Amino acid sequence: MTLVERLRHALTAGSSVDAVLLTGDHVDHDLLPTVLTQAAVLVPVTDRAAPGVILTRRTDTMTRHAGQVAFPGGRIDPGDADPVAAALREAEEEIALPRAAVRIVGEADRYRTITGFEVTPVIGVVPPDLVLTPNPAEVAAVFEVPLDFLLDSGNHIETSVEWQGRNRHYYEILWGEHRIWGATAAMIVNLSRRLRWNG
C-alpha cells in the first residue's frame, strides 16, 4: 500500500469514533469572531520510508503570526476553486512547491482561529528532498519533522496562558529549535487523533 493510500484510508475509514477533536483556538466560543475568513493550509507529507512533514517558520516582519511555525497556506482567494486549490497556490507562492508535485490525499478537520479564520488542512504527499525556496517576504525557514514524531501524542504538550482575562489552553510540540504551537499544533493534534498513525 502506498503512502497516499495509507493516509487516505486512515483519514476516511480509520478515524476513531471516540476521537475528541479540537475545533477552535478557545473553548469559549463566544470569543471567536462571528464572521470567519476561509483559509487553507497544505500539510505536505514526504514520501519516504520514514515520512516527514514540511513546515515553515514565518519571518519576524510579518504583521500576523510573526516568527511562528506554520504549514504553508493562507486565505482562500476568489479565484481559488476550493481549499485544495488555495493550499496548492499558497505553497507554491511561499516555498516554491510545484503544484504538480503534490498528490492530494484529502481534506482534514477544519479549525477556527481566534484571529478570525476557518482553516481547512489539505493533506498531500510530495517527493522527498525537493528543493524548496522560501519567499523571503513571508518565510524565514523551511524544515521537515518526522511524521511519527508529530503524531505521537506523547509529544503534544498542553499548556495555557492568560489572554483577555481568561486562561487560554493550547498545545505545543517542540522539535529541536522549533516550537510548534497554536493552530498549527492543534491541527497536528487533530490529525493524530484522526489518523491513529501506526507507522
Side-chain angles (χ1 to χ4, degrees), residues 3-178:
L3 178 58
V4 171
E5 292 168 335
R6 288 163 62 199
L7 287 169
R8 185 172 290 133
H9 178 267
L11 193 62
T12 58
S15 61
S16 170
V17 174
D18 298 325
V20 177
L21 301 176
L22 308 172
T23 59
D25 269 354
H26 207 287
V27 293
D28 296 317
H29 293 293
D30 57 302
L31 293 180
L32 289 169
T34 54
V35 178
L36 297 170
T37 300
Q38 296 301 306
V41 296
L42 183 67
V43 183
V45 180
T46 53
D47 192 0
R48 58 173 93 243
V53 175
I54 296 170
L55 289 160
T56 70
R57 184 171 57 78
R58 303 285 186 190
T59 62
D60 293 330
T61 56
M62 296 282 288
T63 54
R64 284 189 174 187
H65 314 298
Q68 290 187 13
V69 171
F71 296 115
R75 73 178 64 234
I76 299 175
D77 288 346
D80 296 322
D82 53 26
V84 172
L88 292 174
R89 175 184 54 76
E90 287 282 348
E92 194 167 58
E93 290 174 2
E94 290 182 13
I95 59 174
L97 174 56
R99 302 175 201 205
V102 184
R103 288 176 291 161
I104 297 298
V105 173
E107 297 178 13
D109 300 281
R110 292 179 181 176
Y111 187 83
R112 299 187 300 274
T113 73
I114 203 72
T115 52
F117 290 90
E118 184 173 56
V119 184
T120 301
V122 176
I123 302 176
V125 173
V126 300
D129 306 317
L130 285 172
V131 177
L132 302 173
T133 306
N135 178 339
E138 298 184 64
V139 178
V142 180
F143 62 99
E144 186 175 334
V145 181
L147 180 62
D148 60 355
F149 180 89
L150 289 177
L151 300 184
D152 182 348
S153 61
N155 296 322
H156 304 162
I157 304 164
E158 188 172 5
T159 186
S160 65
V161 66
E162 187 173 324
W163 185 76
Q164 292 190 352
R166 307 188 192 188
N167 278 332
R168 176 185 169 190
H169 296 268
Y170 63 93
Y171 283 89
E172 65 180 11
I173 302 166
L174 305 177
W175 173 255
E177 64 184 15
H178 301 290

